[in-house]
């Protein structure tokens, strides 16, 4: 086959099924849905089969073979699971549908939150074998995320062909989770699953357009239950009267009531799907087009002025000034940056000039070097091309209307969480909270490889929003803070792929020492080897201070036995030795050092000599006083379901933690506040997730140094 011309490629990209459906001119012709669910629920497979069913791709790829559209990342293929957000756009019945595929692993919660930010509704995918496989806890945690986002939802019961598939049990488990959360949504099946003679699942839509209008005498129980629920949700009394009177109820009215109930989040339609067999795919796409609310139903976005002050919310207006947000930053196969952008107002086209406004309230805080208020030093940029993403494939389109998603390459200054807006009307959208990375991983490199590691980490920091790179001033280690082991695995693999050579080492925990009792020390530095000599003698007293007292230096020299010009040298030597520690790597803190006596020589004394004498005096005084090892203590707050409270308390006790309080709330959870040594927290992010099946969360904040238990 001959090579395509650039014009042919562009025409094919813009017209996958005729027309320009990938760049609709009306926001009402767009549906953006986040595909969310626990691991192994079949989210990526579902997206792949939907793309194939709509004719977007010629055939569905395989997760096992690494040929799916949305798992295009090398790390996703290696782990055989999604590790980042990916978008694939298709067209169904003239409506553009943006499928935002999100990871199910809890380590990549930031990607889920970004997907929810980009979408107007949720396809929540639960495997029908999950009830038997113990996935209820992760499902509840993800349901809570979706509920916080406030988006309408469709429940997709997948993997109907699994040997242990139990559609009824899965639906019951989801209803129990919704009831426990007091969410108030009603879960109602809108499809019915049947079996062919060979056992292949067949999915029928209960409100199919080619079926008869239902009546109260309908023999199909599932269809009758759905209709009754919709009539209860409806405010149309005439519809209720027709139903009670035994008259047929128009299907068009029922489908309209379904869309209304979904939009106001009082009803969650349930669809059964067997993606490999193609069962339920058409019903699901029809439901997305007919019942999922378009962007025009999206509430105005909270916003702020560039200086952090108040600003009117941003309403969806295709003719208004451009306001968009970078919801995800990735890279293409050539390593160039690709930004996924959600447009909230206006129309984004090629050559549009925009300014970048960061969110001053964003968590974590703005990047190092950024203006914390977002007011000064805003960058301007020009959009080169606008694309409709299909995983890693970028299909050029002429514009992206308000309410739609697009991909932009080489965006320059803009990164995840930044607002892109018109230069003449700068505005910032209030951002979303990112999960805090709480798993430390230390890396070390030979001196010759350190520059390559630094460059690789700088590139990673631009795309990994939850990666925090820290150079510990106490241990001099480079520490990568990740959200879990799977996230750490991806970060390290990408760093190596960038050409960096390094080793993973144990994370060192800073330690301190303090003195047990008061003591004295004599520092004598006398050298005479011809020429100008060195002479300095000083006597100090050292005594402990209360915790957090730091280091105090007190001058009690009288009579000029040490000239005033040399006393700063003594203090400098004392403080330097205390900071270095008598035991290497363990600074001495919470002490008062009193300079009480000394001697000087009119010719041989110098500032440097008294620095050395001060250090020698500290070493002798600390040795006489005796020391106690001190460790870093952190204030930890754990939020855990009441049913797992005992396990968490027992685990904290085993880590030598001290519980200082518990606060139950109305959602069936309890906040536990405790003080825990840092050494016991290095892998707490992993251990707590394993202990609670990912349902608990925690925060940590440095409190103080305390003596190690048993060493006082």
């Amino acid at each position: 086959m001959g090579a395509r011309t650039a014009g042919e490629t562009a025409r094919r990209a813009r017209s996958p099924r005729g027309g320009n459906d990938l760049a609709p001119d009306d926001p009402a012709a767009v549906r953006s849905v986040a595909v969310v669910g626990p691991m192994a629920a079949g989210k990526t497979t579902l997206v792949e089969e939907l793309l194939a069913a709509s004719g977007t791709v010629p055939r569905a790829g395989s997760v096992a073979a690494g040929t799916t559209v949305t798992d295009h990342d090398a790390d996703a293929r290696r782990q055989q699971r999604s590790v980042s957000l990916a978008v694939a756009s298709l067209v169904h019945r003239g409506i553009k549908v943006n499928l935002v595929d999100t990871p199910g692993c809890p380590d990549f919660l930031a990607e889920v939150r970004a997907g929810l930010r980009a979408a107007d509704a949720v396809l929540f995918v639960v495997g029908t074998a999950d009830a038997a496989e113990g996935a209820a806890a992760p499902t509840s945690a993800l349901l809570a995320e979706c509920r916080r986002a406030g988006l309408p939802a469709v429940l997709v019961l997948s993997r109907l062909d699994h040997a242990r598939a139990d559609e009824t049990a899965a639906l019951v488990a989801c209803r129990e989770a919704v009831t426990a959360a007091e969410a108030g949504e009603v879960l109602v099946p809108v499809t019915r699953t049947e079996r062919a003679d060979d056992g292949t699942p067949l999915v029928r839509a209960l409100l199919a357009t080619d079926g008869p209008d239902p009546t109260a005498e309908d023999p199909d129980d599932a269809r009758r239950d759905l209709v009754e629920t919709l009539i209860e949700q409806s405010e149309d009394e005439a519809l209720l009267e027709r139903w009670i009177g035994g008259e047929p109820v128009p299907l068009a009215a029922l489908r309209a009531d379904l869309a209304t109930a979904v939009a106001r989040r009082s009803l969650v339609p349930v669809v059964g799907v067997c993606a490999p067999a193609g069962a339920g795919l058409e019903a699901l796409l029809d439901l997305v087009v007919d019942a999922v609310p378009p962007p025009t139903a999206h509430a105005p976005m909270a916003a702020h002025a560039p200086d952090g002050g108040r600003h009117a919310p941003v309403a969806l207006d295709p003719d208004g000034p451009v306001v968009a947000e970078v919801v995800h930053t990735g890279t293409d196969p050539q390593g160039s940056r690709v930004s996924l952008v959600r447009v909230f107002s206006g129309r984004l086209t090629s050559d549009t000039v925009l300014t970048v406004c960061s969110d001053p309230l964003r968590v974590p805080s703005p990047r190092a070097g950024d203006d914390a208020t977002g007011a000064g030093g805003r960058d301007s940029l020009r959009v080169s091309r606008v694309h409709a993403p299909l995983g890693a494939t970028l299909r050029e389109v002429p514009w992206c209307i308000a309410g739609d998603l697009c991909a932009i390459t080489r965006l320059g200054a803009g990164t995840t969480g930044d607002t892109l807006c018109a230069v003449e009307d700068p505005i910032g959208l209030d951002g979303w909270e990112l999960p805090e990375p709480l798993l430390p991983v230390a890396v070390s490199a030979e001196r010759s490889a350190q520059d390559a590691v630094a460059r690789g980490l700088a590139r990673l920091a631009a795309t990994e929003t939850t990666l925090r790179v820290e150079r510990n001033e106490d241990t001099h280690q480079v520490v990568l803070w990740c959200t879990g082991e799977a996230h750490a695995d991806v970060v390290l693999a990408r760093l190596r792929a960038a050409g960096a050579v390094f080793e993973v080492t144990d994370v060192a925990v800073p330690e301190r020492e303090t003195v047990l009792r008061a003591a004295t020390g004599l520092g004598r530095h006398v050298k005479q080897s011809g020429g100008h000599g060195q002479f300095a003698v000083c006597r100090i007293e050292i005594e402990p201070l209360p915790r957090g007292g730091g280091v105090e230096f007190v001058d009690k020299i009288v009579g000029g036995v040490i000239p005033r010009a040399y006393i700063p040298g003594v203090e400098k030597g004392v403080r330097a030795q205390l900071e270095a520690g008598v035991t290497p790597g363990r600074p001495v803190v919470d002490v008062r050092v009193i300079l009480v006596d000394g001697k000087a020589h009119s010719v041989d004394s110098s500032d440097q000599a008294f620095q050395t004498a001060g250090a020698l005096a500290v070493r002798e005084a600390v040795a006489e006083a005796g020391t106690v090892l001190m460790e870093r203590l952190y204030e930890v707050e754990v939020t855990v379901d009441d049913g797992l409270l005992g396990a968490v308390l027992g685990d904290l006790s085993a880590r030598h933690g001290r519980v200082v309080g518990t606060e139950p709330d109305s959602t069936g959870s309890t906040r536990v506040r405790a003080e825990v040594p840092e050494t016991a927290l290095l892998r707490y992010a992993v251990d707590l997730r394993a202990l609670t099946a990912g349902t608990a969360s925690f925060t940590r904040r440095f409190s103080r140094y305390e003596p190690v238990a048993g060493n006082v």
Side-chain angles (χ1 to χ4, degrees):
M1 181 181 295
R4 281 188 206 136
T5 67
E8 289 172 337
T9 302
R11 282 194 299 273
R12 289 175 65 91
R14 291 172 181 158
S15 303
R17 296 167 62 90
N20 197 12
D21 293 334
L22 286 177
D25 200 43
D26 184 357
V30 178
R31 304 289 187 274
S32 296
V33 290
V35 185
V36 178
M39 289 189 296
K43 300 180 296 298
T44 300
T45 300
L46 174 62
V47 170
E48 197 71 16
E49 295 290 350
L50 289 173
L51 293 173
S54 65
T56 307
V57 297
R59 66 181 63 87
S62 165
V63 172
T67 56
T68 60
V69 169
T70 53
D71 277 357
H72 56 81
D73 187 278
D75 297 294
R77 292 172 177 171
R78 175 173 56 85
Q79 294 191 12
Q80 293 196 0
R81 64 180 174 188
S82 301
V83 299
S84 63
L85 176 153
V87 175
S89 304
L90 59 86
V91 177
H92 182 69
R93 289 168 40 199
I95 299 295
K96 180 184 179 183
V97 179
N98 296 312
L99 299 172
V100 186
D101 189 15
T102 64
C105 177
D107 284 11
F108 305 107
L109 179 59
E111 303 290 318
V112 176
R113 291 181 178 175
L116 295 173
R117 179 73 166 193
D120 295 306
V122 177
L123 295 185
F124 198 96
V125 184
V126 176
T128 51
D130 288 351
E133 295 173 356
T139 299
S140 297
L142 282 172
L143 280 171
E145 288 292 331
C146 296
R147 201 155 39 248
R148 278 192 288 270
L151 298 180
V154 174
L155 178 62
V156 181
L157 299 181
S158 66
R159 302 172 66 195
L160 295 176
D161 56 341
H162 194 280
R164 289 179 291 173
D166 190 336
E167 194 173 358
T168 302
L171 179 56
V172 169
C174 291
R175 281 174 170 161
E176 289 176 350
V178 170
T179 301
E182 299 180 356
E185 298 106 329
V186 178
L187 275 59
V188 182
V190 296
T191 61
R192 178 178 60 252
T193 303
E194 301 171 351
R195 299 282 172 177
D197 293 339
D198 61 356
T200 303
L202 302 173
V203 177
R204 312 288 187 190
L206 296 177
L207 297 180
T209 55
D210 56 353
D213 292 344
T215 66
E217 288 76 29
D218 196 322
D220 187 335
D221 292 341
R223 181 172 152 107
R224 190 169 58 251
D225 289 344
L226 170 60
V227 173
E228 288 179 351
T229 302
L230 291 176
I231 291 176
E232 288 176 2
Q233 296 279 332
S234 174
E235 298 178 355
D236 188 346
E237 295 185 0
L239 204 64
L240 177 60
E241 291 176 359
R242 293 188 65 170
W243 179 258
I244 295 175
E247 299 179 35
V249 177
L251 283 171
L254 291 173
R255 287 195 293 271
D257 287 340
L258 174 62
T260 301
V262 171
R264 66 183 179 214
R265 298 170 51 210
S266 61
L267 184 143
V268 176
V270 182
V271 181
V273 167
C274 179
L281 299 179
E282 192 75 15
L284 179 57
L285 286 173
D286 285 339
L287 186 67
V288 169
V289 168
D290 294 333
V292 166
T296 50
H298 201 292
M301 296 295 297
H304 56 269
D307 60 359
R310 287 188 172 185
H311 193 285
V314 176
L316 188 139
D317 181 4
D319 299 319
V322 174
V323 179
E325 184 177 52
V326 181
V327 293
H328 182 263
T329 306
T331 56
D332 62 16
Q334 289 72 43
S336 299
R337 190 183 301 184
V338 178
S339 302
L340 178 67
V341 174
R342 164 79 187 237
V343 181
F344 290 98
S345 176
R347 183 190 301 259
L348 195 61
T349 63
S350 300
D351 296 328
T352 302
V353 178
L354 302 170
T355 189
V356 180
C357 184
S358 299
D359 177 17
L361 306 178
R362 187 171 36 156
V363 179
S365 58
R367 299 175 298 281
D370 283 357
D371 180 356
T373 67
R378 288 192 303 276
D379 297 290
S380 294
L381 50 87
R382 182 182 296 274
V383 176
S384 57
R385 290 181 176 86
V386 181
H387 304 88
L390 182 64
T393 303
L394 302 181
R395 302 165 291 179
E396 187 177 347
V397 293
W399 60 72
C400 182
I401 197 73
D404 202 357
L405 300 174
C406 64
I408 301 175
T409 58
R410 299 178 178 87
L411 194 56
T415 189
T416 303
D418 287 346
T419 302
L420 310 177
C421 51
V423 176
E424 64 276 8
D425 187 18
I427 182 178
L429 297 174
D430 291 359
W432 69 95
E433 183 177 340
L434 295 172
E436 182 182 1
L438 295 168
L439 178 67
V441 178
V443 297
S444 64
E446 299 291 338
R447 183 177 296 274
S448 59
Q450 289 178 356
D451 287 344
V453 172
R455 288 194 299 270
L457 288 174
R459 285 194 293 268
L460 274 176
T463 57
E464 293 287 337
T465 54
T466 51
L467 172 65
R468 180 162 58 89
V469 181
E470 170 191 77
R471 180 168 181 81
N472 193 297
E473 295 181 357
D474 293 305
T475 64
H476 306 293
Q477 282 187 317
V478 175
V479 180
L480 313 181
W481 287 88
C482 306
T483 55
E485 289 182 310
H487 183 216
D489 179 72
V490 169
V491 167
L492 296 176
R494 289 177 178 172
L495 188 57
R496 290 191 175 98
V501 179
F502 59 92
E503 292 183 355
V504 178
T505 60
D506 293 335
V507 178
V509 175
E511 296 175 328
R512 300 284 188 268
E513 287 184 324
T514 192
V515 297
L516 290 171
R517 62 189 70 86
T520 61
L522 177 66
R524 179 180 175 86
H525 182 61
V526 178
K527 288 188 177 181
Q528 188 69 48
S529 56
H532 188 68
Q534 300 181 50
F535 185 94
V537 178
C538 62
R539 183 181 296 279
I540 65 167
E541 295 176 354
I542 195 168
E543 59 187 34
L545 286 177
R547 299 289 174 257
V551 173
E552 292 184 11
F553 180 83
V554 180
D555 171 22
K556 287 192 175 181
I557 292 297
V558 294
V561 292
I562 297 179
R564 309 305 304 174
Y566 296 141
I567 290 177
V570 177
E571 181 177 1
K572 185 175 181 180
V574 165
R575 291 186 178 276
Q577 184 63 64
L578 290 173
E579 183 176 348
V582 176
T583 303
R586 294 179 182 171
V588 180
V589 297
D590 298 344
V591 294
R592 178 183 291 117
V593 176
I594 307 170
L595 178 62
V596 295
D597 199 4
K599 294 181 181 179
H601 190 276
S602 59
V603 176
D604 293 339
S605 290
S606 65
D607 184 82
Q608 183 60 49
F610 273 99
Q611 286 186 41
T612 303
L616 293 172
V618 165
R619 294 172 68 98
E620 181 176 297
V622 170
E624 180 182 337
T627 59
V628 59
L629 179 64
M630 302 177 69
E631 62 184 352
R632 289 163 66 97
L633 205 65
Y634 275 77
E635 294 179 2
V636 176
E637 185 174 290
V638 185
T639 302
V640 59
D641 291 342
D642 291 344
L644 296 168
L645 179 59
V648 168
L649 292 176
D651 181 69
L652 288 172
S653 177
R655 296 172 188 273
H656 303 290
R658 183 171 65 88
V659 176
V660 297
T662 58
E663 299 176 12
D665 59 28
S666 59
T667 64
S669 298
T670 297
R671 285 191 297 273
V672 180
R673 290 179 291 108
E675 294 180 336
V676 186
E678 184 179 18
T679 52
L681 291 176
L682 295 180
R683 288 187 55 82
Y684 192 56
V686 176
D687 297 339
L688 180 65
R689 183 172 295 161
L691 183 66
T692 64
T695 58
S697 61
F698 80 101
T699 60
R700 50 178 271 172
R701 182 171 64 88
F702 173 71
S703 175
R704 61 190 183 280
Y705 278 90
E706 280 287 333
V708 176
N711 284 272
V712 181

